[in-house]
Amino acid sequence: MAAAKKAVLEPLVGAVDQGTSSTRFLVFNSKTAELLGHHQVEIKQEFPREGWVEQDPTEILQSVYECIEKTCEKLGQLGIDISNIKAIGVCNQRETTVVWDKLTGEPLYSAVVWLDLRTQSTVENLSQRIPGNNNFVKSKTGLPLSTYFSAVKLRWLLDNVRKVQKAVEENRALFGTIDSWLIWNLTGGVRGGVHCTDVTNASRTMLFNIHSLKWDEELCEFFEIPMEILPSVRSSSEIYGLMKTGALEGVPISGCLGDQSAALVGQMCFQNGQTKNTYGTGCFLLCNTGRKCVFSEHGLLTTVAYKLGRDKPVYYALEGSVAIAGAVIRWLRDNLGIIKSSEEIEKLAKEVGTSYGCYFVPAFSGLYAPYWEPSARGIICGLTQFTNKCHIAFAALEAVCFQTREILDAMNRDCGIPLSHLQVDGGMTRNKILMQLQADILYIPVVKPSMPEITALGAAMAAGAAEGVGVWSLEPEDLSAVTMERFEPQINAEESEIRYSTWKKAVMKSMGCVTTQCPENGDPSIFCSLPLGFFIVSSMVMLIGARYLTGIP
């Protein structure tokens, strides 16, 4: 009882974790990093046209309010006084783009999600304007010109949505990634809400100079983005404003990090060379490169890792980004219907323990690192009449691990020192089959914390450590030790290499899809220049789907 009473009396810190698939609010003990309570709400994704991915900004905001209220109710039921919550941090899906009316507070269009491909023709047109010997976009931002980042999404909105155009003309429009949209609303919205972002989220817009840490006039001119709609850029750990409504009214919002930077902080990767991999909707490998920008020669991004205070130095990271990880499980559930819940995938995979020569390349949004190939599309190959839904489930998990292997290989080549183990986090790490597969395919140990909510923990740490809050020490000697679970490789290196090399052949077969009509105009027609064998495989999926994918004998 004494220990429980002490936990209740110590300062607490909350974290909003707004991801692509769900929103959560979590509360941690600032002295022990113990998770005391949380609530989660799944978020809808809309696919109005081929390659388009949208979400409702109002639904996202309401989900945050709901999660905060429900978590506070749960804490009350546990006898925990919510007045001990001294700060709130925000971590969020990055790049997803929102434009709203600062007078009414209403979104002017759906949130254009980071996975969205509608801007491919915009990217191609802009690429032609970049001199081959002076890629000033990449040198200033660390990013390749891609549909992934916010600038081209914002450009599309300015070109195609009259409500956005009119609001810009009348000086009513505000732009932001999800963190900006949430902080503006939580701190008052139309009644004095703070329009800001942090350096990690700003670094994913393709409008931010990662060297000067400012919005870049040349980049804004290149993308034709009016700078007056951009949020102010702050550090990742400072008081931005106070909560203006709800059970936590008056509590400072004092931490803000893009989700992958938050996971880096939550994993306590504060030293040069420390690396983590997060398994969420996508999969993201980040390596702390210290105060130095390191530019990749193998398809990785250079990004801002964090800046934990106004007067603190900025730290950078190399990043390997995979578009589809957990999203492939959701696709099996929602599109194919071969599982009823995400947790079911582990049971199916365990039944067979192998993909039996089936390989899955989930290039639903093209391929990100290390290829940056927007023409790729998803394939399942190596099917026979023996293949059933269990083999496809196993192949889907393997696909996540193979993609991680690709970006880890690129990271090792860029850094010159191979990783001896991989620190992992994210919702998918609860899947023990996945973790063991990952160790086997990488042929190094995989280490995961027993508490999986590392992304939210990172946001809470940044919030609690902020000047004026000061309830969470980030000094190495004060950081709580985290219990870890370790997965050792259980297959020989030769078998691991054979499986990986076969996967690479499948990746090559996924490439070559080209858009014959601009998706931005609403009727994309996709032509694939894949070999005939692919179409045979596709036909087999259709023919055997009713029988084998549903498990009917």
Side-chain angles (χ1 to χ4, degrees):
M1 288 294 289
K5 185 176 181 182
K6 182 180 178 183
V8 170
L9 293 175
E10 287 172 344
L12 312 179
V13 180
V16 173
D17 182 357
Q18 205 301 297
T20 316
S21 302
S22 69
T23 298
R24 287 174 289 181
F25 184 69
L26 308 94
V27 174
F28 297 91
N29 183 320
S30 66
K31 301 304 178 188
T32 65
E34 178 190 1
L35 175 61
L36 300 175
H38 74 283
H39 188 76
Q40 179 171 344
V41 173
E42 191 166 306
I43 299 295
K44 292 176 190 169
Q45 294 180 47
E46 302 293 338
F47 308 95
R49 296 173 186 170
E50 175 67 35
W52 293 32
V53 189
E54 297 179 353
Q55 291 180 323
D56 180 354
T58 303
E59 180 193 353
I60 289 173
L61 178 62
Q62 290 305 318
S63 72
V64 170
Y65 288 133
E66 179 182 344
C67 287
I68 290 173
E69 296 304 312
K70 295 287 187 184
T71 302
C72 288
E73 288 175 16
K74 291 177 181 179
L75 292 176
Q77 292 165 6
L78 293 170
I80 297 173
D81 186 352
I82 62 171
S83 68
N84 286 332
I85 298 176
K86 303 303 181 185
I88 296 170
V90 174
C91 55
N92 56 285
Q93 53 171 310
R94 304 169 301 171
E95 300 95 17
T96 296
T97 298
V98 185
V99 179
W100 67 95
D101 188 319
K102 67 183 177 184
L103 300 182
T104 67
E106 294 299 313
L108 297 168
Y109 191 76
S110 298
V112 182
V113 176
W114 57 278
L115 288 164
D116 190 280
L117 292 176
R118 76 187 68 186
T119 55
Q120 185 53 40
S121 66
T122 301
V123 169
E124 290 165 4
N125 292 335
L126 288 168
S127 295
Q128 295 171 7
R129 293 169 45 196
I130 298 176
N133 62 349
N134 180 25
N135 189 340
F136 66 94
V137 174
K138 187 167 186 180
S139 64
K140 289 186 174 198
T141 67
L143 311 174
L145 195 55
S146 166
T147 59
Y148 181 18
F149 306 107
S150 308
V152 290
K153 302 178 194 300
L154 180 53
R155 183 67 258 151
W156 186 92
L157 291 169
L158 291 166
D159 287 338
N160 293 279
V161 181
R162 180 57 192 148
K163 284 173 72 176
V164 172
Q165 296 165 352
K166 195 166 187 292
V168 170
E169 291 163 6
E170 297 174 0
N171 196 32
R172 292 183 287 110
L174 296 177
F175 153 78
T177 42
I178 294 296
D179 57 305
S180 298
W181 166 245
L182 294 180
I183 291 172
W184 185 81
N185 279 285
L186 296 173
T187 57
V190 294
R191 293 176 295 279
V194 179
H195 186 216
C196 69
T197 188
D198 90 300
V199 289
T200 69
N201 281 294
S203 74
R204 312 299 293 193
T205 61
M206 232 165 22
L207 300 171
F208 185 72
N209 188 314
I210 61 174
H211 310 285
S212 67
L213 303 183
K214 295 178 180 176
W215 298 121
D216 190 281
E217 288 188 25
E218 184 183 16
L219 291 170
C220 289
E221 188 176 316
F222 176 71
F223 290 105
E224 299 180 77
I225 303 297
M227 295 185 76
E228 58 271 17
I229 72 173
L230 304 178
S232 63
V233 181
R234 313 277 282 272
S235 78
S236 308
S237 179
E238 61 179 272
I239 296 175
Y240 313 111
L242 305 180
M243 287 283 291
K244 289 298 168 71
T245 58
L248 299 181
E249 184 176 355
V251 176
I253 299 174
S254 53
C256 179
L257 292 147
D259 51 8
Q260 302 314 316
S261 289
L264 196 72
V265 172
Q267 286 269 26
M268 293 178 261
C269 294
F270 295 128
Q271 301 301 314
N272 194 338
Q274 288 187 305
T275 303
K276 68 88 201 172
N277 197 39
T278 300
Y279 300 76
T281 298
C283 197
F284 302 90
L285 181 73
L286 267 71
C287 175
N288 188 330
T289 62
R291 301 186 194 183
K292 181 182 177 184
C293 274
V294 175
F295 284 84
S296 173
E297 296 180 2
H298 300 96
L300 304 180
L301 310 177
T302 303
T303 196
V304 175
Y306 53 80
K307 185 178 189 294
L308 295 173
R310 270 182 281 202
D311 301 322
K312 301 288 185 180
V314 64
Y315 284 75
Y316 296 94
L318 275 175
E319 175 176 325
S321 312
V322 169
I324 304 294
V328 74
I329 312 305
R330 189 166 177 163
W331 182 81
L332 291 174
R333 184 193 71 183
D334 297 345
N335 291 45
L336 291 194
I338 69 172
I339 54 173
K340 291 190 173 104
S341 69
S342 298
E343 293 73 28
E344 205 178 317
I345 192 88
E346 185 172 8
K347 180 183 174 186
L348 288 183
K350 191 174 182 178
E351 280 184 33
V352 287
T354 175
S355 66
Y356 207 80
C358 172
Y359 287 87
F360 194 158
V361 183
F364 302 153
S365 295
L367 290 169
Y368 284 10
Y371 302 101
W372 298 105
E373 181 49 72
S375 74
R377 290 296 180 270
I379 66 167
I380 302 174
C381 59
L383 298 176
T384 70
Q385 284 191 306
F386 181 73
T387 307
N388 63 31
K389 64 179 181 180
C390 297
H391 299 115
I392 290 175
F394 195 96
L397 295 182
E398 273 193 320
V400 175
C401 300
F402 286 133
Q403 290 179 107
T404 296
R405 167 74 187 267
E406 288 190 304
I407 55 176
L408 185 66
D409 283 355
M411 190 78 74
N412 285 338
R413 288 195 294 271
D414 275 327
C415 296
I417 304 172
L419 286 180
S420 60
H421 67 279
L422 181 64
Q423 291 177 234
V424 301
D425 60 84
M428 289 189 80
T429 63
R430 294 185 182 93
N431 187 318
K432 292 185 182 297
I433 298 283
L434 178 72
M435 292 294 93
Q436 186 57 56
L437 274 173
Q438 190 65 89
D440 290 345
I441 288 165
L442 297 180
Y443 209 66
I444 58 173
V446 168
V447 181
K448 85 177 189 80
S450 55
M451 197 284 290
E453 305 296 349
I454 293 299
T455 302
L457 177 62
M461 290 166 66
E467 184 179 351
V469 178
V471 298
W472 204 310
S473 172
L474 299 183
E475 295 301 320
E477 63 272 16
D478 296 328
L479 294 171
S480 301
V482 178
T483 307
M484 308 296 271
E485 186 174 2
R486 190 177 179 95
F487 295 83
E488 299 284 348
Q490 292 183 355
I491 63 173
N492 62 53
E494 184 181 3
E495 183 184 346
S496 178
E497 287 304 315
I498 290 170
R499 285 160 68 175
Y500 182 50
S501 63
T502 309
W503 152 263
K504 297 280 278 186
K505 292 176 186 175
V507 171
M508 293 302 110
K509 292 181 186 296
S510 78
M511 296 183 191
C513 289
V514 294
T515 307
T516 59
Q517 188 171 341
C518 174
E520 299 174 43
N521 297 329
D523 184 23
S525 174
I526 303 297
F527 166 76
C528 283
S529 58
L530 295 173
L532 179 62
F534 169 69
F535 296 100
I536 294 171
V537 165
S538 300
S539 300
M540 286 180 65
V541 170
M542 295 173 67
L543 288 169
I544 71 172
R547 182 175 181 188
Y548 290 100
L549 296 188
T550 57
I552 298 171

